Each structure stands twice: as C-alpha cells, then as structure tokens.
Amino acid sequence: MRPILRRIANESRLRLGLVTTVRVPVADRSLIVPAARRSFIGRQLAVYGPLSYEPELCKLLLTWPWRLGTFLDGGANIGLFAGLAELAFGAPTTVIAVEPLATNLALIEELRAANALGFEVQAAALHPGGADTVDLFVPETGIGAESIA
C-alpha cells in the first residue's frame, strides 16, 4: 500500500475507534502503548508507524550496545522512552520517568500497567540548577490539571 493511503487508512481506523493501542517492537517483545487516541504521541504512532515519534532516539535506544546504570526520561510525556529503555536495557539499568502533568502521569501509569513495567515515576519538572545540580519542581495540587506553577 502506498504511504499516503496507509496514513489515510490508519487515521480512519483511529477516528472510528478501531485502534486503541499501538505495539512498538523491542527485541523479542512489544511495548504496548495504550494511549493511541488520547495523546499526540499515541496518535502519531498509530498513524505513521510504531517508531515514528522521534525515530532517531527510538533507534538509538533499541540499538545502544552498552549497559547503562541509569536512564532518565526527563519530560516523559506518556512514558514511551522510559518503557522502551526498560525493555531494551533490562536489569540492572534503573529507569526513571520525570513528568509534571497529571494527564500524562495517568497515561504513564496505563503504559506501565499494560506492559508490567516497574520503572520509577517522579511527578516533577526538571530545571537546570547550579553547576552540578538539577532542580525539581513539583506541581501544586488544586492549581489546575496541567499547571506546574
């Protein structure tokens, strides 16, 4: 099928509710992304293909040849890269997703549950601190679902 026709078909299936998850291949497994209709990243993966969101970073994660001690997904959004990292690197790599927005935190929890993943989630935003530090800003409750003030 031609790429434009495939994209139109995928968009139609997504709009009709026929697609609710996307499977991203990782070695001998797949990362299930359950937010296909409820997030920009999920929609992009559903329409353009499982490795279409920041494809260079996806490829790097899936082909990285060395062991990592810690993988930090700052601004994790729906947790796509944290999920890919946990499946690709496995133990003993520690994976941490940092995301301040409540809507995205709920989508991260769905992704973790759908894939039985155990990566750590921090409800905060990163900001460069001093020369050797990073400040974490934690959203206050009651200000709004998408506020980090």
Side-chain angles (χ1 to χ4, degrees), residues 127-135:
H127 181 271
D132 296 325
T133 64
V134 173
D135 296 328

Side-chain angles (χ1 to χ4, degrees), residues 124-143:
L126 297 175
H127 181 271
D132 296 325
T133 64
V134 173
D135 296 328
L136 292 177
F137 292 98
V138 179
E140 294 182 21
T141 57
I143 295 177

Side-chain angles (χ1 to χ4, degrees), residues 24 26 33 39 45-46 55 57 67 70-71 78 81 85 95 98 104-105 109 112 115 120 144 147:
V24 180
V26 182
V33 181
S39 74
L45 297 174
L57 184 52
R67 286 273 186 216
T70 302
F71 179 85
I78 66 170
F81 297 132
V95 177
V98 180
N104 288 342
L105 290 168
E109 290 306 323
R112 285 177 19 140
N115 295 281
E120 181 182 338
S147 177

